[in-house]
Amino acid sequence: MFKFFLKKNFADIWDNAFHLLIVNLTYMVIGVGAFFTLFGIFRTGIDEYQKYLFMLLAIVVFSVVGHVFVFAEGKNCESISRYEKAKLGAYFSNIKSCIKDGMLYGLFVAILFCVAVVSIPYYFRLWLPVDGTSTNFVGLLLMLIVIWAELISLLSLQWFIPIRNIMHNNFKKCLKKSYIIFFDNVGFSIGLAFVNLVNLLISVFSLGMFPGLSGMQLSATDALRLRLYKYDWYEVNPGMTKEQRKEVPWTELLANDRKLLGKRTLKGYLFPWKE
């Protein structure tokens, strides 16, 4: 199943490269504008403590507002995942409907970031005091709890936007289902995280233009749409034992998607008009 996900996701990103590029350029324009705005404020002569405090506040505000624009591309990702065409106009028209959930999601991410930045160094110093006094293993335990909670949240939240666009749930349900899907698909969630890590590395070399945030969001959407076939299979086959539920017939469940995707070759990717 994961192999087919990689194949489909590569095809979806490649076939919609121009659209993803335009959306990523939009993100970059917004980001650059915000950067120069903040840079101008930092030069107003505030003291060092106020500067760090304002910087933290700026990160929170940027995260809250920025996620609205990221959420707006979710519908297009869902359409691409269903073998339909993305529409640039749909991206801009979706911004208004994403304000509430995008800002709530951004606020939640900002809170997780602040917790990590503040608590992890604090518990580390509690575990290994800088004055050389005896170590406190309570600090180590609390630090590990925070690190694991942050890591689990990071892996779970990658499902949030796809859940919102595929299942059309409200913020609370999307957040709850994000964690449920993670705990029920730990290995697959980690695999998706590695895929998006590769996307991130490629994005760094392309200066964020491709595949960028929109490509990473498309990867998560493809992953969830395919993974949900398992739960549809559960619904039409109630009463299965725990062992039977592990034997998911992915070949059968993905048959239609394999047909829709078709045979993709390197020649087809580079010179599609020749096939």
Side-chain angles (χ1 to χ4, degrees):
M1 185 271 178
F2 192 77
K3 183 179 179 180
F4 176 75
F5 156 66
L6 293 176
K7 180 180 178 181
K8 172 175 167 41
N9 186 234
F10 181 82
D12 285 345
I13 290 176
W14 184 271
D15 293 345
N16 296 275
F18 182 73
H19 171 81
L20 299 179
L21 177 64
I22 296 299
V23 174
N24 287 328
L25 284 173
T26 303
Y27 294 156
M28 292 175 67
V29 169
I30 296 171
V32 170
F35 171 80
F36 281 107
T37 300
L38 295 175
F39 181 75
I41 296 174
F42 287 154
R43 297 178 63 186
T44 57
I46 58 179
D47 62 42
E48 200 69 21
Y49 174 76
Q50 290 175 323
K51 183 180 292 187
Y52 285 118
L53 184 62
F54 184 82
M55 186 179 297
L56 185 61
L57 179 62
I59 291 173
V60 172
V61 173
F62 185 76
S63 178
V64 171
V65 177
H67 276 96
V68 174
F69 298 96
V70 176
F71 269 52
E73 178 62 3
K75 279 293 182 182
N76 274 325
C77 290
E78 195 263 340
S79 296
I80 294 172
S81 181
R82 289 188 286 105
Y83 307 94
E84 298 177 0
K85 289 187 176 181
K87 299 178 181 178
L88 189 61
Y91 168 72
F92 294 103
S93 63
N94 285 334
I95 292 176
K96 183 178 179 180
S97 64
C98 295
I99 292 176
K100 180 183 177 181
D101 286 349
M103 294 185 73
L104 287 173
Y105 181 90
L107 180 61
F108 187 73
V109 170
I111 291 172
L112 290 174
F113 174 79
C114 292
V115 169
V117 169
V118 174
S119 65
I120 293 177
Y122 174 79
Y123 289 134
F124 181 81
R125 289 192 299 269
L126 184 64
W127 171 41
L128 298 173
V130 293
D131 58 4
T133 57
S134 60
T135 58
N136 187 336
F137 286 100
V138 174
L140 173 61
L141 176 62
L142 293 174
M143 183 180 69
L144 291 176
I145 290 174
V146 172
I147 290 174
W148 275 107
E150 293 281 341
L151 180 60
I152 290 172
S153 295
L154 180 65
L155 292 172
S156 299
L157 289 176
Q158 64 186 337
W159 298 113
F160 187 100
I161 299 179
I163 290 173
R164 181 181 184 271
N165 291 290
I166 294 176
M167 306 179 75
H168 308 290
N169 295 136
N170 58 31
F171 178 84
K172 185 177 180 180
K173 285 187 177 180
C174 286
L175 188 60
K176 180 180 178 180
K177 288 183 178 180
S178 296
Y179 284 90
I180 290 175
I181 289 177
F182 164 72
F183 283 110
D184 193 43
N185 303 273
V186 175
F188 192 74
S189 298
I190 295 173
L192 173 60
F194 274 108
V195 170
N196 274 332
L197 179 60
V198 173
N199 286 335
L200 179 61
L201 293 174
I202 297 173
S203 300
V204 170
F205 286 104
S206 67
L207 301 179
M209 292 187 289
F210 184 81
L213 289 174
S214 55
M216 295 168 71
Q217 188 177 166
L218 177 56
S219 295
T221 305
D222 275 338
L224 179 65
R225 199 184 72 81
L226 296 176
R227 204 63 180 176
L228 287 178
Y229 287 151
K230 178 177 73 170
Y231 299 100
D232 294 336
W233 180 67
Y234 287 167
E235 288 185 7
V236 298
N237 294 278
M240 291 188 296
T241 64
K242 187 176 180 180
E243 289 71 23
Q244 289 174 327
R245 289 166 69 92
K246 293 180 180 179
E247 301 298 325
V248 182
W250 286 114
T251 301
E252 176 184 339
L253 297 178
L254 297 175
N256 188 55
D257 279 85
R258 294 182 190 278
K259 181 178 179 181
L260 291 172
L261 183 62
K263 184 179 179 180
R264 305 299 295 263
T265 62
L266 180 60
K267 179 181 178 181
Y269 284 118
L270 299 177
F271 312 104
W273 59 88
K274 292 187 177 181
E275 291 208 339

